[in-house]
Amino acid sequence: SMDLAVDDPGGPGLPVVCLPMFSTTRATTAAAFSSAFAGAGLREIYLDLPGHGDSPGAGHADSQTILGTVCSWMESHFDGPALLAGASYGAYLAAGIARQRPMLARGLLLVCPGVRVRPAERDLPEDEPPAAAADWLAAAPAELRAHLDLALGHRSAAVLATVLEALDAGGPGDEHYQDRLSAGPGYALPDEDTDFSFGGPVTVITGRHDRVVGYADQFRSMGAYPRGTYTVVDAAGHYLPFEQPDLLRALTQDWVHRCYT
């Protein structure tokens, strides 16, 4: 299997493989999840996907190849199933692993998961986001402002600063590879619309004001998860771990408890 850059402390805890948002690094993922896992006793593993952070972008730039690479990495590192956690694209991949290779997954924590990769097919909230100070986006780089205006539901300079710091953590990765991935026909997994049932503990957390992936497709996906908890959070958008960290921690600790029982 391809070498993926990874932060893995080893140790005896139940492993949880944490998969990143598109174009971000394992450092960004750790910033999103590590405080939510604090004290849970898990072996937290943070991967850079191919073409992201410190992992090279070898082979085909498509989601099925990336999913297969993560599965191969897991098979070579664990004797049995592991927990999977992900945000956005990473959560899309985690759900794909549970659908295609359920023996590898013991439970899923899906935060603002992508359900449909093609933007035109996403069911997005159409109402206005919560009010914010006029200059709340002033510190954002110009090229990120439109995205962050769509993405953020907890709209304050303090939340923005946390998000920008997290997005800046780790290297830029292979931007040419990332562009080929997101623009290509293989960005969607080939079985994206396939019905399935995954029996492990699942927690799906969405932002009520997430105008990147929404929350409605995610609720409809709950039919696949007979042991699923679904939450939609007010004053949260696509960067929910940085917008509502205390609520993420409470919901994550509940998920961990269910995964151990």
Side-chain angles (χ1 to χ4, degrees), residues 37 66 141 156-157 204 220 236 243:
F37 287 131
I66 290 173
S156 71
V204 177
R220 284 189 280 268
E243 300 178 73

Side-chain angles (χ1 to χ4, degrees), residues 108-153:
L108 301 176
L109 175 65
L110 307 176
V111 180
C112 303
V115 175
R116 299 185 170 280
V117 153
R118 298 169 195 86
E121 296 182 4
R122 301 176 192 170
D123 187 348
L124 302 178
E126 292 177 9
D127 38 77
E128 290 297 306
D135 61 348
W136 74 277
L137 267 174
E143 68 273 12
L144 280 180
R145 281 182 196 158
H147 166 72
L148 292 168
D149 187 43
L150 286 176
L152 285 167

